[in-house]
Amino acid sequence: MTAPATSAADTAVVLVAHGTVESLDDLPRFLANIRRGHAAPPELVAEVRRRYEAIGGRSPLLDITREVARKLEKALELKARVAMRLFEPYPKEVVAKLASEGIRRVVAVPLAQHSAGVYGSVMQAAAKEVDPSLEVFCARNWGRTPELTRAFADTIIAELDRIPAGEAEQTALVLTAHSLPRAVVQAGDPYEQEVRASAEDVAAEVRARVGDRFAEHMVAFQSQGIGTGVEWLGPDLRPTLEDLAKRGKKHVVVAPIGFLADHVEILYDLDIEARGWCEGELGIVLYRSASLNAGDGLVEALSVVVRDVLARPGDFAAPSVSSRESRPSRGG
């Protein structure tokens, strides 16, 4: 495919995030979207509402994503917008607005760096419905982008600096990502493989910069969907922390490298629930590395991803293949 000419006037970037709600009253509708149109049981709605209330009643995900878009727009001198895969603003409405503004080419960048195919497919479908002549180029999985690796390493090193000197043997690094039903991975989805490869990149970058400041590192999966009868990707975070406590670790740096921004699965699942396990039951101190949010490290990584797509758009004319339609989740 011959690469089309691009210009700032007719090209836009759309950052596609998971989704969240502005009002807790919208939770039933949001959860139904996550569950592919099936209404969530009242007890699930109540539990998710409780978690949102515990972090202040609102997830910062949409605000953070909009700030990232503003910074990226300035860095690239291209129009940048935000869409949410599972709630407002939906991809279809964002694409329609861009088309009305004269945009003819869209670079879709999933803010789920190990699940690009799922998000890219949504953007392609939205464009086809709105205007089949609109070209959408979908970034592929970008979790091993060196700029992203360095940004995650920066946040981990900041937490390691908080641990008293001489405690390296009692310190572990746990790199986390969202869990998936194991059947999805068994069907061929590369998610687990890519998460583990990214984790190794990040751990190696940290060791190269600060040496043996921690005794060991491992991957754990967090935030399993609520429900029974599904085998989830593991090891799960809680038994991982329990094992570290049994083996005498006093300090654990939890680095959620599967996520880019603060949302309920970090602010509740890690900062409240996991911290409670560690400090209330296990006798270890949990240090959670800061999310990248709208920091310069993430903006730099995204800029690299977008420039790569624009340099050879023909390679990105369709999203990468994925064996799943959505990632089960409690919220954003």
Side-chain angles (χ1 to χ4, degrees), residues 15-18 61 65 68 85 108-120 138-153 155-156 175-178 180 189-202 221-222 255-263 265-266 289-293 297-298 301-302 305 316 320-322 324 327:
L15 303 178
V16 191
H18 175 79
L61 178 63
T65 309
V68 173
R85 185 168 69 92
V109 183
L111 297 183
Q113 65 271 30
H114 303 109
S115 303
V118 179
Y119 290 68
C138 305
R140 304 297 173 84
N141 284 349
W142 54 281
R144 302 187 70 186
T145 304
E147 291 77 9
L148 185 67
T149 297
R150 288 195 293 271
F152 279 130
T155 67
I156 293 168
L175 304 114
T176 71
H178 198 295
L180 281 181
D189 194 293
Y191 176 78
E192 180 183 11
Q193 177 183 342
E194 296 199 8
V195 166
R196 292 186 179 279
S198 176
E200 291 304 313
D201 290 348
V202 172
F221 293 90
Q222 63 167 90
I257 63 155
F259 307 94
L260 301 172
D262 285 336
H263 59 297
E265 290 169 348
I266 289 178
S289 64
S291 299
L292 301 184
N293 289 331
L298 178 57
L302 288 168
V305 172
F316 299 92
S320 56
V321 175
S322 174
R324 56 193 161 104
R327 172 188 301 177

Side-chain angles (χ1 to χ4, degrees), residues 9 12 14 79-83 89-104 106 123 126-127 130-131 134:
V14 177
K79 186 175 290 188
R81 296 293 180 265
V82 171
Y90 291 109
K92 183 179 175 180
E93 62 191 68
V94 174
V95 168
K97 181 69 163 55
L98 288 172
S100 74
E101 296 170 355
I103 295 298
R104 305 311 309 152
V106 172
M123 286 297 297
V130 169
D131 182 354
L134 188 67

Side-chain angles (χ1 to χ4, degrees), residues 5-16:
T6 60
S7 72
D10 66 5
T11 302
V13 177
V14 177
L15 303 178
V16 191

